[in-house]
Amino acid sequence: MSHPARPAHLALARAARLWFLTFLLAQLAFAFFIIAFFTPSFLSGDYAAWNAKPHLVGYVPGDTVGNAQLLVHVYLGALVTLLGSLQFVAAIRRRYPVVHRWIGRVFLGASLIATLGGFYLTWVRGAQINAASTLSISLNGVLILVFAVLAFRSAWRRDFVAHRRHATRAFLLVNGVLFLRVGIMLAGVLLTPLGIRVDYDGGVFIAVSFLSWLAPLALYEAYLWAERSTWPAVRHVATTVIGLAAVATLAGAVAAAMFMWWPRL
Ligand code: HEM
C-alpha cells in the first residue's frame, strides 16, 4: 500500500485498511473452525465424525482417495487462509524479504494444489449443489490458477507493480470460499426478516455464489482506479463503498461465526 499525503488518498487507504482488518477477523475465525472441527476426528481416526456437519459429499466409507482429497483440501484451505494476509504486512516485506518470498511460494503452491483438489472433489467426486454454483466455483478455480501463475511470473521478472496486483487478485480469489460463507450469512441476516428465503437452490444463493469472487475483484479494480484517479470525488465514492464493505464483512463474519461455525464445535 502506498503512503498518500492528501486527505482523499488517506481516507481511501484507511478504508482499505479497515476492510482488511475486518476480513482478517473472518479469516482467523474460519481457519480456527476448520482446524478445530477436522483435527480431533482426524487424530482419533473417527473420520465418520466429519459428517456431523453438512457437507456436499463429506466422508464416504471405502473412498480412501476421495476422503484423503477432502482432508488435504480443507487443511490446505486453512493454511492459505492464514498465510495470505501475512503478505500484506509491509514490515515483513521490507525487513524480511526472504520470508515474504517463501510465504509467497508456499501460498501459491498450496493454492494450486487446493484448487486442483477442489476440481477433483467437484467434478470427479460429484460434490455439487447445482449447475450454476458448480459453474461459479469452477470459474473461481480457473481464475485462481491464472492469477497465481501471473503473480509468480511477475515476481520472477521483478515487475513488482504487476506482482502486487496479480497477487492481490489471487488472494481475493483464493478467499472466494470464505466470501461465499460470509455473503450467505449476511444475506440470511438481511433478507430472512423480509420473508426472502436463502436456500441452496434459490436465486439468492446463486447470486451470492457469483458475487463471492466477482464483487471482491470488482472492488479491488475500483480501488486501483480511485487510487490513481485525478478526481477526488472518485476517491470519496470508493472510500464510502469500501467502508460499507468493511461493515458488511464484519456483520457477515460475526453471523457466520455465531450461526455456522460455533454451533458445530
Ligand atoms: C484455493 C482456494 C480454496 C480454498 C481456500 C478452499 C477451502 C475449502 C474449505 C475450507 C472447505 C471445507 C468447508 C467446510 O467444511 O465448511 C472446502 C470445501 C470444498 N471445496 Fe474448496 N477451497 C478452495 C478452492 C476450491 C475450488 C476451486 C473448488 C472447485 C473447483 C473447491 C471445491 C470444494 C468442494 C466441492 C468442497 C466441499 C466438499 C464436500 O463437502 O464434500 N474448492 N473448500
Side-chain angles (χ1 to χ4, degrees):
M1 225 168 266
S2 57
H3 294 283
R6 278 169 289 170
H9 279 100
L10 205 62
L12 180 64
R14 281 194 182 139
R17 213 163 291 153
L18 180 69
W19 174 79
F20 186 74
L21 283 179
T22 58
F23 190 57
L24 191 61
L25 288 178
Q27 287 183 309
L28 290 174
F30 185 45
F32 172 79
F33 165 72
I34 294 297
I35 294 166
F37 180 81
F38 283 95
T39 304
S41 51
F42 172 55
L43 293 179
S44 67
D46 178 18
Y47 307 121
W50 298 349
N51 295 349
K53 87 176 201 45
H55 285 284
L56 298 183
V57 172
Y59 172 75
V60 178
D63 180 12
T64 312
V65 174
N67 294 330
Q69 286 281 357
L70 178 60
L71 194 69
V72 170
H73 185 78
V74 298
Y75 275 116
L76 286 180
L79 179 72
V80 295
T81 301
L82 289 173
L83 279 187
S85 291
L86 287 176
Q87 297 299 76
F88 292 88
V89 180
I92 298 182
R93 286 201 309 270
R94 271 199 303 268
R95 273 187 238 158
Y96 310 103
V98 176
V99 174
H100 177 80
R101 275 200 289 277
W102 271 104
I103 294 177
R105 284 174 195 141
V106 173
F107 174 82
L108 291 177
S111 299
L112 291 181
I113 300 171
T115 301
L116 295 177
F119 278 119
Y120 178 92
L121 294 175
T122 304
W123 290 102
V124 179
R125 218 183 185 210
Q128 302 184 4
I129 297 175
N130 55 43
S133 70
T134 302
L135 174 67
S136 170
I137 186 75
S138 301
L139 286 175
N140 187 348
V142 169
L143 288 175
I144 290 174
L145 300 180
V146 169
F147 284 109
V149 170
L150 288 177
F152 187 78
R153 203 179 62 159
S154 48
W156 187 259
R157 293 179 173 173
R158 307 189 69 76
D159 178 354
F160 295 118
V161 174
H163 174 67
R164 173 194 161 203
R165 291 179 183 181
H166 292 319
T168 305
R169 291 175 187 127
F171 167 81
L172 294 172
L173 287 158
V174 161
N175 282 287
V177 189
L178 176 55
F179 283 120
L180 177 63
R181 282 153 180 78
V182 168
I184 285 296
M185 294 315 288
L186 183 68
V189 168
L190 294 177
L191 299 179
T192 309
L194 303 177
I196 303 172
R197 284 179 53 213
V198 181
D199 43 25
Y200 275 152
D201 40 10
V204 175
F205 182 78
I206 292 172
V208 177
S209 296
F210 280 93
L211 285 173
S212 67
W213 52 273
L214 271 173
L217 277 189
L219 213 59
Y220 180 57
E221 297 310 318
Y223 170 81
L224 290 177
W225 183 53
E227 216 184 21
R228 58 175 188 263
S229 171
T230 50
W231 298 342
V234 170
R235 269 188 294 282
H236 291 316
V237 173
T239 303
T240 308
V241 173
I242 294 173
L244 289 174
V247 176
T249 302
L250 186 62
V254 169
M258 282 172 63
F259 304 123
M260 191 187 259
W261 300 326
W262 185 251
R264 307 278 175 208
L265 295 179

